[in-house]
Amino acid sequence: MDENITSVLSEKRTFSPSNDFVKQANLNKAEYERLILKAKTDFEGFWTELAEKNIFWFKKWEKVLEWNEPFSKWFIGGKTNISYNCLDRHLEKKSDKKALIWIGENGEKREITYKELFNEVCRFSNALLKLGVKESDCVVIYMPLIPEAVISMLACTRIGAVHSVVFGGFSKEALADRINDSKAKVVITADGGYRRGQVVPLKLNVDEALQRCSSVEKVIIVQRTKNKIEIKPERDLWYHELTADSSLENKAKELDSEHPLFILYTSGTTGKPKGILHTTAGYLLWTTVTTKWVFDIKDSDVYWCTADIGWVTGHSYVVYGPLSSGATSLIYEGAPNYPDWGRFWEIIQENKINIFYTAPTAIRAFMKAGVEWIKKYDLSSLRLLGSVGEPINPEAWMWYHENIGRKKCPIVDTWWQTETGGILISPLPGITVTKPGSATFPLPGIFAEVVNQDGNPVPPEQGGFLVIKKPWTSMLRTVYGDDERYRQTYWKRIKGAYFAGDGAKKDSDGYFCLLGRVDDVIKVSGHLLSTMEVESSLVSHPFVAEAAVVGYPHDIKGEALCAFVVLKTVEALHAAPLLAEELKNHVAKEIGPIAKPDQIRFTESLPKTRSGKIMRRLLRDIASGKQTTGDTTTLEDISVIEKLRENEL
Ligand code: ATP
Ligand code: MG
């Protein structure tokens, strides 16, 4: 891409945090300014200070950073342990505090204190050691969202094993690919998990996946659903039997700062998933610090991030960030609309949730379901809201603000990636004046910029590439087993900077606005348009619930715009021929004739990854009449593609 992205959307609404929020915030303006300055003038000193204050070390490091672009090592010579930081260090003061609140899809509830979680993790660590799991061995975790999944992750970190969590909704093929890529020795799974009232046959998937995996020696099974499963006696072990006589005494291993922590595969939105490798100390530091700054965690808070542990959000902001901060983290096993669309709000009411972190895809689904589901519940415990995963359209932001936040809660729109390990660009809730649709500013220590092809900053209001110019502690270390792919994907496109793959602009006040994937940018009559802006304009129409915009070849314009549109109600479809025209004109009026879609296609749903992101690359194939190409292993529902093809005009 050799030109700049034309940005057409302009947001004027601003929201300041209330005085009450400001007064109690973990990070205040003076401290924020000091941190920004410190990071600029004494980069290593900045990270030293954070590492001294926020992490327990068995042994202090000798060197803060070794930077050999694109490879970084942080806190060299230091020794720490993540499980120790998440559990042992809280026992003195918080042993009876709830660490986890677990809600099963069928209404069960378990509350687990820090002391209990510590005991369970020690017990399971000993069991893994007894099985012969060694430092740096890889353990795949393929589980429903139950406490044993968190216990498994923490036990791995305790003994220095490397975990790779595979989302429990993935197929046996996706599971086998990940097991083979990570060369896992052990798989931890469950007999089944509940999803929308059905039992997901996890163990059966493991059995079938393992037919084409040779590295796995043992399979550990948690009993969850008690459905009938086959046991291979020489390979399979029940979790409860294995841990029954395990000792509660387990000393956390003193691990090197750069000890490998986990491999996690990206969502597959733009192509074949990449196995992202994170290491111990730097990752722990940044997830801990950002939990404190961005989520403003207090000892009294009940915090709920709705992500599954199969995604990086579940790693960093369900498990490691909150537990390292000594917080109470709620996990819910089931679907947001099971048994009905009130489920999330009921959980918030019952558990008096204070901080709620979810994804735009969920927010748009709740908008479509209607506010009557929300009105039934008391959401007054909420004090802070967060969003992650995709750009949040201003319309969805406003809806979230008004209906869930009751106009009182700051919203943190957090930009980050599997690769970045933790949040890099986000409002700070007690400081930042927010604008709908903007992730606002890079956090202290993060040197983000919007640049052109040559790596030079672009002027305000102009789109470009989002890059990070200096290393940060929780950056990925490599693509597992493929240093060259790491270099090519992230470090070749823009000289001297980490290239995130996303387009962005800074507005005239310096606010960062994410414009979607650079690969999704559309070139119409010589202008590069961001999909996100056209989609946002469509979503601002009262009939539209969700939209995805892609380009297809056009003789005159180069590329033309095709918009796939999901309507809020089926009735709206009766007016479809007229509505299509109306929507085209709506976009032309809102952001200009250049962005007017050539085609509008109504659909019941959009192709999404299992983490809820729109897969525009598949829509691009459909709009240009091509066969579906590329990786579809992380697609949520393949029948969506078939239906879209049937509807082809
Ligand atoms: P793949 O890399 O395999 O294509 P993916 O990029 O969807 O998959 P993730 O690491 O889960 O995998 O997602 C990170 C991406 O999500 C970011 O690069 C960005 O495009 C998008 N994203 C996350 N948070 C935000 C946000 N607050 N605003 C805009 N975009 C966001
Ligand atoms: Mg990505």
Side-chain angles (χ1 to χ4, degrees), residues 266-274 312 387-392 413-419 439 500 502 514 517 611 613:
T266 57
S267 295
T269 313
T270 54
K272 192 174 180 304
K274 303 168 276 279
V312 72
S387 165
V388 62
E390 286 184 295
I392 175 166
D413 173 4
T414 61
W415 178 86
W416 60 295
Q417 312 177 291
T418 310
E419 295 87 339
D502 287 339
L514 276 298
R517 316 309 179 114
S611 57
K613 295 163 196 264

Side-chain angles (χ1 to χ4, degrees), residues 89-101:
R89 73 160 157 168
H90 302 314
L91 292 182
E92 196 185 320
K93 292 203 182 110
K94 296 188 178 179
S95 88
D96 294 330
K97 180 176 173 170
K98 286 173 217 161
L100 292 178
I101 301 175

Side-chain angles (χ1 to χ4, degrees), residues 7 45 53 63 101 137 162 173 175 178 193 206 295 306 347 354-355 391 398 431 438 447 478-479 526 579 591:
S7 173
K53 272 194 196 154
K63 194 167 176 215
I101 301 175
D137 281 352
V162 180
E173 288 81 18
L175 174 64
R178 286 161 179 72
V206 171
F295 296 116
T306 66
I347 292 176
N354 306 110
I355 301 166
M398 287 304 296
I431 299 169
S438 167
F447 292 81
T478 189
V479 171
L579 188 57
I591 57 180

Side-chain angles (χ1 to χ4, degrees), residues 307-470:
D308 189 89
I309 46 148
W311 317 123
V312 72
T313 310
H315 285 56
S316 302
Y317 299 111
V318 171
V319 182
Y320 295 121
L323 295 181
S324 164
S325 311
T328 300
S329 180
L330 184 136
I331 51 179
Y332 165 57
E333 178 189 31
N337 57 349
Y338 188 85
D340 60 41
W341 285 101
R343 190 63 193 264
F344 270 20
W345 321 122
E346 183 195 354
I347 292 176
I348 291 177
Q349 171 181 289
E350 301 279 296
N351 296 282
K352 301 202 171 38
I353 299 292
N354 306 110
I355 301 166
F356 179 65
Y357 189 32
T358 196
T361 185
I363 298 168
R364 289 189 298 258
F366 287 121
M367 287 170 79
K368 188 170 180 227
V371 287
E372 55 278 16
W373 291 109
I374 298 154
K375 296 232 162 88
K376 294 184 189 164
Y377 299 97
D378 176 9
L379 304 185
S380 59
S381 57
L382 290 173
R383 65 180 196 89
L384 176 62
L385 302 177
S387 165
V388 62
E390 286 184 295
I392 175 166
N393 326 102
E395 210 52 35
W397 195 104
M398 287 304 296
W399 184 92
Y400 198 29
H401 169 71
E402 282 165 11
N403 294 288
I404 310 303
R406 303 158 341 276
K407 301 189 184 167
K408 292 189 183 120
C409 303
I411 296 181
V412 287
D413 173 4
T414 61
W415 178 86
W416 60 295
Q417 312 177 291
T418 310
E419 295 87 339
T420 68
I423 298 166
L424 299 194
I425 305 179
S426 169
L428 289 160
I431 299 169
T432 315
V433 176
T434 53
K435 290 187 189 182
S438 167
T440 73
F441 304 104
L443 296 177
I446 303 303
F447 292 81
E449 195 47 90
V450 181
V451 301
N452 62 16
Q453 178 95 317
D454 306 322
N456 298 317
V458 299
E461 300 293 350
Q462 229 179 66
F465 304 101
L466 179 64
V467 297
I468 317 292
K469 300 190 109 165
K470 285 189 181 188

